[in-house]
PDB file of all heavy atoms in Angstrom:
ATOM      1  N   SER T 110       4.294  -1.799  -4.018  1.00 90.00           N
ATOM      2  CA  SER T 110       4.054  -2.693  -5.145  1.00 90.00           C
ATOM      3  C   SER T 110       4.679  -4.066  -4.931  1.00 90.00           C
ATOM      4  O   SER T 110       4.679  -4.890  -5.833  1.00 90.00           O
ATOM      5  CB  SER T 110       4.584  -2.072  -6.433  1.00 90.00           C
ATOM      6  OG  SER T 110       5.982  -1.935  -6.347  1.00 90.00           O
ATOM      7  N   GLY T 111       5.229  -4.304  -3.739  1.00 88.00           N
ATOM      8  CA  GLY T 111       5.764  -5.629  -3.425  1.00 88.00           C
ATOM      9  C   GLY T 111       7.225  -5.815  -3.772  1.00 88.00           C
ATOM     10  O   GLY T 111       7.726  -6.929  -3.755  1.00 88.00           O
ATOM     11  N   LEU T 112       7.939  -4.745  -4.076  1.00 85.00           N
ATOM     12  CA  LEU T 112       9.367  -4.835  -4.394  1.00 85.00           C
ATOM     13  C   LEU T 112      10.178  -4.225  -3.265  1.00 85.00           C
ATOM     14  O   LEU T 112       9.679  -3.435  -2.476  1.00 85.00           O
ATOM     15  CB  LEU T 112       9.681  -4.077  -5.683  1.00 85.00           C
ATOM     16  CG  LEU T 112       9.039  -4.594  -6.953  1.00 85.00           C
ATOM     17  CD1 LEU T 112       9.364  -3.659  -8.087  1.00 85.00           C
ATOM     18  CD2 LEU T 112       9.513  -5.982  -7.263  1.00 85.00           C
ATOM     19  N   ARG T 113      11.458  -4.590  -3.224  1.00 74.00           N
ATOM     20  CA  ARG T 113      12.364  -3.975  -2.257  1.00 74.00           C
ATOM     21  C   ARG T 113      13.588  -3.477  -2.993  1.00 74.00           C
ATOM     22  O   ARG T 113      14.174  -4.220  -3.786  1.00 74.00           O
ATOM     23  CB  ARG T 113      12.788  -4.973  -1.195  1.00 74.00           C
ATOM     24  CG  ARG T 113      11.748  -5.143  -0.115  1.00 74.00           C
ATOM     25  CD  ARG T 113      12.213  -6.096   0.901  1.00 74.00           C
ATOM     26  NE  ARG T 113      11.833  -7.420   0.413  1.00 74.00           N
ATOM     27  CZ  ARG T 113      11.972  -8.524   1.093  1.00 74.00           C
ATOM     28  NH1 ARG T 113      12.507  -8.498   2.279  1.00 74.00           N
ATOM     29  NH2 ARG T 113      11.599  -9.677   0.605  1.00 74.00           N
ATOM     30  N   ALA T 114      13.947  -2.246  -2.760  1.00 65.00           N
ATOM     31  CA  ALA T 114      15.149  -1.693  -3.375  1.00 65.00           C
ATOM     32  C   ALA T 114      16.347  -2.144  -2.553  1.00 65.00           C
ATOM     33  O   ALA T 114      16.396  -1.945  -1.347  1.00 65.00           O
ATOM     34  CB  ALA T 114      15.074  -0.182  -3.415  1.00 65.00           C
ATOM     35  N   ARG T 115      17.267  -2.774  -3.205  1.00 67.00           N
ATOM     36  CA  ARG T 115      18.457  -3.267  -2.515  1.00 67.00           C
ATOM     37  C   ARG T 115      19.692  -2.770  -3.252  1.00 67.00           C
ATOM     38  O   ARG T 115      19.661  -2.535  -4.445  1.00 67.00           O
ATOM     39  CB  ARG T 115      18.468  -4.786  -2.474  1.00 67.00           C
ATOM     40  CG  ARG T 115      17.294  -5.358  -1.728  1.00 67.00           C
ATOM     41  CD  ARG T 115      17.487  -6.848  -1.585  1.00 67.00           C
ATOM     42  NE  ARG T 115      16.375  -7.435  -0.879  1.00 67.00           N
ATOM     43  CZ  ARG T 115      16.378  -7.671   0.420  1.00 67.00           C
ATOM     44  NH1 ARG T 115      17.405  -7.363   1.153  1.00 67.00           N
ATOM     45  NH2 ARG T 115      15.350  -8.230   0.982  1.00 67.00           N
ATOM     46  N   ARG T 116      20.771  -2.675  -2.514  1.00 68.00           N
ATOM     47  CA  ARG T 116      22.004  -2.277  -3.174  1.00 68.00           C
ATOM     48  C   ARG T 116      22.515  -3.456  -3.996  1.00 68.00           C
ATOM     49  O   ARG T 116      22.265  -4.615  -3.675  1.00 68.00           O
ATOM     50  CB  ARG T 116      23.059  -1.843  -2.151  1.00 68.00           C
ATOM     51  CG  ARG T 116      23.605  -2.959  -1.311  1.00 68.00           C
ATOM     52  CD  ARG T 116      24.852  -2.479  -0.582  1.00 68.00           C
ATOM     53  NE  ARG T 116      25.443  -3.516   0.207  1.00 68.00           N
ATOM     54  CZ  ARG T 116      26.213  -4.487  -0.260  1.00 68.00           C
ATOM     55  NH1 ARG T 116      26.473  -4.565  -1.535  1.00 68.00           N
ATOM     56  NH2 ARG T 116      26.713  -5.410   0.537  1.00 68.00           N
ATOM     57  N   PRO T 117      23.244  -3.195  -5.075  1.00 67.00           N
ATOM     58  CA  PRO T 117      23.748  -4.286  -5.899  1.00 67.00           C
ATOM     59  C   PRO T 117      24.727  -5.162  -5.117  1.00 67.00           C
ATOM     60  O   PRO T 117      25.442  -4.688  -4.236  1.00 67.00           O
ATOM     61  CB  PRO T 117      24.460  -3.581  -7.046  1.00 67.00           C
ATOM     62  CG  PRO T 117      23.988  -2.185  -7.024  1.00 67.00           C
ATOM     63  CD  PRO T 117      23.550  -1.896  -5.629  1.00 67.00           C
ATOM     64  N   TYR T 118      24.761  -6.445  -5.460  1.00 72.00           N
ATOM     65  CA  TYR T 118      25.668  -7.382  -4.808  1.00 72.00           C
ATOM     66  C   TYR T 118      27.093  -7.051  -5.204  1.00 72.00           C
ATOM     67  O   TYR T 118      27.391  -6.874  -6.390  1.00 72.00           O
ATOM     68  CB  TYR T 118      25.318  -8.806  -5.215  1.00 72.00           C
ATOM     69  CG  TYR T 118      26.277  -9.834  -4.672  1.00 72.00           C
ATOM     70  CD1 TYR T 118      26.301 -10.130  -3.312  1.00 72.00           C
ATOM     71  CD2 TYR T 118      27.173 -10.481  -5.500  1.00 72.00           C
ATOM     72  CE1 TYR T 118      27.177 -11.056  -2.802  1.00 72.00           C
ATOM     73  CE2 TYR T 118      28.052 -11.412  -4.999  1.00 72.00           C
ATOM     74  CZ  TYR T 118      28.062 -11.696  -3.648  1.00 72.00           C
ATOM     75  OH  TYR T 118      28.936 -12.612  -3.146  1.00 72.00           O
ATOM     76  N   ILE T 119      27.950  -6.917  -4.217  1.00 77.00           N
ATOM     77  CA  ILE T 119      29.354  -6.649  -4.484  1.00 77.00           C
ATOM     78  C   ILE T 119      30.114  -7.936  -4.203  1.00 77.00           C
ATOM     79  O   ILE T 119      30.132  -8.440  -3.081  1.00 77.00           O
ATOM     80  CB  ILE T 119      29.874  -5.497  -3.604  1.00 77.00           C
ATOM     81  CG1 ILE T 119      29.116  -4.223  -3.928  1.00 77.00           C
ATOM     82  CG2 ILE T 119      31.373  -5.310  -3.795  1.00 77.00           C
ATOM     83  CD1 ILE T 119      29.442  -3.061  -3.029  1.00 77.00           C
ATOM     84  N   GLY T 120      30.724  -8.480  -5.206  1.00 79.00           N
ATOM     85  CA  GLY T 120      31.450  -9.736  -5.087  1.00 79.00           C
ATOM     86  C   GLY T 120      31.327 -10.521  -6.369  1.00 79.00           C
ATOM     87  O   GLY T 120      30.720 -10.081  -7.345  1.00 79.00           O
ATOM     88  N   THR T 121      31.907 -11.707  -6.370  1.00 79.00           N
ATOM     89  CA  THR T 121      31.832 -12.527  -7.574  1.00 79.00           C
ATOM     90  C   THR T 121      30.450 -13.159  -7.674  1.00 79.00           C
ATOM     91  O   THR T 121      29.892 -13.646  -6.684  1.00 79.00           O
ATOM     92  CB  THR T 121      32.900 -13.636  -7.541  1.00 79.00           C
ATOM     93  OG1 THR T 121      32.709 -14.399  -6.361  1.00 79.00           O
ATOM     94  CG2 THR T 121      34.291 -13.057  -7.542  1.00 79.00           C
ATOM     95  N   ILE T 122      29.912 -13.127  -8.873  1.00 80.00           N
ATOM     96  CA  ILE T 122      28.619 -13.736  -9.108  1.00 80.00           C
ATOM     97  C   ILE T 122      28.868 -15.195  -9.452  1.00 80.00           C
ATOM     98  O   ILE T 122      29.609 -15.515 -10.390  1.00 80.00           O
ATOM     99  CB  ILE T 122      27.864 -13.006 -10.235  1.00 80.00           C
ATOM    100  CG1 ILE T 122      27.614 -11.558  -9.797  1.00 80.00           C
ATOM    101  CG2 ILE T 122      26.586 -13.720 -10.582  1.00 80.00           C
ATOM    102  CD1 ILE T 122      26.952 -10.699 -10.830  1.00 80.00           C
ATOM    103  N   LEU T 123      28.265 -16.082  -8.674  1.00 81.00           N
ATOM    104  CA  LEU T 123      28.521 -17.504  -8.826  1.00 81.00           C
ATOM    105  C   LEU T 123      27.711 -18.093  -9.973  1.00 81.00           C
ATOM    106  O   LEU T 123      26.550 -17.742 -10.170  1.00 81.00           O
ATOM    107  CB  LEU T 123      28.169 -18.243  -7.524  1.00 81.00           C
ATOM    108  CG  LEU T 123      28.940 -17.814  -6.279  1.00 81.00           C
ATOM    109  CD1 LEU T 123      28.435 -18.574  -5.075  1.00 81.00           C
ATOM    110  CD2 LEU T 123      30.416 -18.038  -6.461  1.00 81.00           C
ATOM    111  N   THR T 124      28.341 -19.033 -10.679  1.00 88.00           N
ATOM    112  CA  THR T 124      27.618 -19.765 -11.712  1.00 88.00           C
ATOM    113  C   THR T 124      26.817 -20.877 -11.055  1.00 88.00           C
ATOM    114  O   THR T 124      26.957 -21.140  -9.848  1.00 88.00           O
ATOM    115  CB  THR T 124      28.593 -20.371 -12.731  1.00 88.00           C
ATOM    116  OG1 THR T 124      29.427 -21.312 -12.061  1.00 88.00           O
ATOM    117  CG2 THR T 124      29.429 -19.284 -13.392  1.00 88.00           C
ATOM    118  N   GLN T 125      26.013 -21.572 -11.828  1.00 90.00           N
ATOM    119  CA  GLN T 125      25.202 -22.672 -11.293  1.00 90.00           C
ATOM    120  C   GLN T 125      26.093 -23.768 -10.707  1.00 90.00           C
ATOM    121  O   GLN T 125      25.807 -24.331  -9.659  1.00 90.00           O
ATOM    122  CB  GLN T 125      24.314 -23.235 -12.419  1.00 90.00           C
ATOM    123  CG  GLN T 125      23.321 -24.275 -11.963  1.00 90.00           C
ATOM    124  CD  GLN T 125      22.230 -23.674 -11.077  1.00 90.00           C
ATOM    125  OE1 GLN T 125      21.887 -22.507 -11.205  1.00 90.00           O
ATOM    126  NE2 GLN T 125      21.721 -24.460 -10.169  1.00 90.00           N
ATOM    127  N   ARG T 126      27.219 -24.057 -11.391  1.00 92.00           N
ATOM    128  CA  ARG T 126      28.135 -25.099 -10.907  1.00 92.00           C
ATOM    129  C   ARG T 126      28.764 -24.690  -9.578  1.00 92.00           C
ATOM    130  O   ARG T 126      28.861 -25.494  -8.649  1.00 92.00           O
ATOM    131  CB  ARG T 126      29.225 -25.332 -11.959  1.00 92.00           C
ATOM    132  CG  ARG T 126      30.160 -26.483 -11.625  1.00 92.00           C
ATOM    133  CD  ARG T 126      31.148 -26.693 -12.748  1.00 92.00           C
ATOM    134  NE  ARG T 126      32.042 -25.565 -12.900  1.00 92.00           N
ATOM    135  CZ  ARG T 126      33.257 -25.510 -12.362  1.00 92.00           C
ATOM    136  NH1 ARG T 126      33.716 -26.509 -11.650  1.00 92.00           N
ATOM    137  NH2 ARG T 126      34.016 -24.457 -12.539  1.00 92.00           N
TER     138      ARG T 126
END
Side-chain angles (χ1 to χ4, degrees):
S110 64
L112 296 175
R113 279 181 273 186
R115 298 187 180 264
R116 70 167 182 79
Y118 175 70
I119 298 174
T121 57
I122 298 177
L123 300 177
T124 63
Q125 186 69 29
R126 185 177 65 96

